[in-house]
Amino acid sequence: MARILKNKELLNTRLATNYGGWMYCNKCNENIGYLCYSTYDRLELKYKCNCGSDGKILLDFEDSKIGKECKDELITIKNRLCCPRENDPLITILDKKVTNYEMKITCKSCQSIYKKIK
């Protein structure tokens, strides 16, 4: 079932589909990662692409719940950053394509908000 976006802000970034799939830098057209469609509830991502462009993504849905902050770290399974409680894949950031990033992502299953800075 398709979800209805409440907020969608993209800066120097495009998505393969409305709220998920491959993520691209608009300046150099490089693929910077992959956002799993159905496992996240909210995403805030700021990044600097290797080409020098600053990108930003903010996505959440009309049915999004207010998440709860947690100190747990995302786990990596087959290059995907996953919820450590549910093992759900949430997002892949291609570290070799970005110089740095800051992210907050909410797992749809457990409503935990995970933060990652690199």
Side-chain angles (χ1 to χ4, degrees):
M1 182 170 124
R3 298 179 78 192
I4 299 169
L5 283 166
K6 181 169 73 174
N7 293 300
K8 181 178 182 179
E9 295 176 28
L10 301 175
L11 175 65
N12 298 325
T13 307
R14 75 179 189 284
L15 298 173
T17 64
N18 194 26
Y19 54 82
W22 296 107
M23 304 179 292
Y24 298 91
C25 169
N26 272 350
K27 183 176 179 187
C28 67
N29 290 317
E30 283 290 328
N31 176 354
I32 60 151
Y34 184 85
L35 179 59
C36 299
Y37 296 90
S38 60
T39 55
Y40 79 96
D41 225 8
R42 179 179 173 85
L43 171 67
E44 294 177 58
L45 174 67
K46 294 178 185 176
Y47 68 92
K48 181 174 272 304
C49 182
N50 286 341
C51 73
S53 179
D54 290 315
K56 178 182 173 183
I57 300 173
L58 169 62
L59 296 167
D60 69 356
F61 302 92
E62 287 187 358
D63 64 348
S64 291
K65 310 256 186 319
I66 301 210
K68 50 191 174 298
E69 302 259 341
C70 74
K71 300 214 184 282
D72 297 340
E73 302 229 354
L74 293 165
I75 59 173
T76 303
I77 302 173
K78 295 184 181 178
N79 87 339
R80 293 183 178 163
L81 296 172
C82 302
C83 172
R85 295 177 182 167
E86 307 292 329
N87 286 341
D88 289 341
L90 299 171
I91 191 169
T92 300
I93 303 289
L94 300 174
D95 289 338
K96 63 184 179 190
K97 302 288 181 95
V98 297
T99 58
N100 59 59
Y101 65 89
E102 186 174 326
M103 174 180 65
K104 282 178 32 175
I105 191 164
T106 305
C107 175
K108 185 177 178 191
S109 294
C110 71
Q111 297 303 307
S112 294
I113 301 170
Y114 299 101
K115 295 181 183 180
K116 184 160 177 75
I117 297 173
K118 185 153 181 158

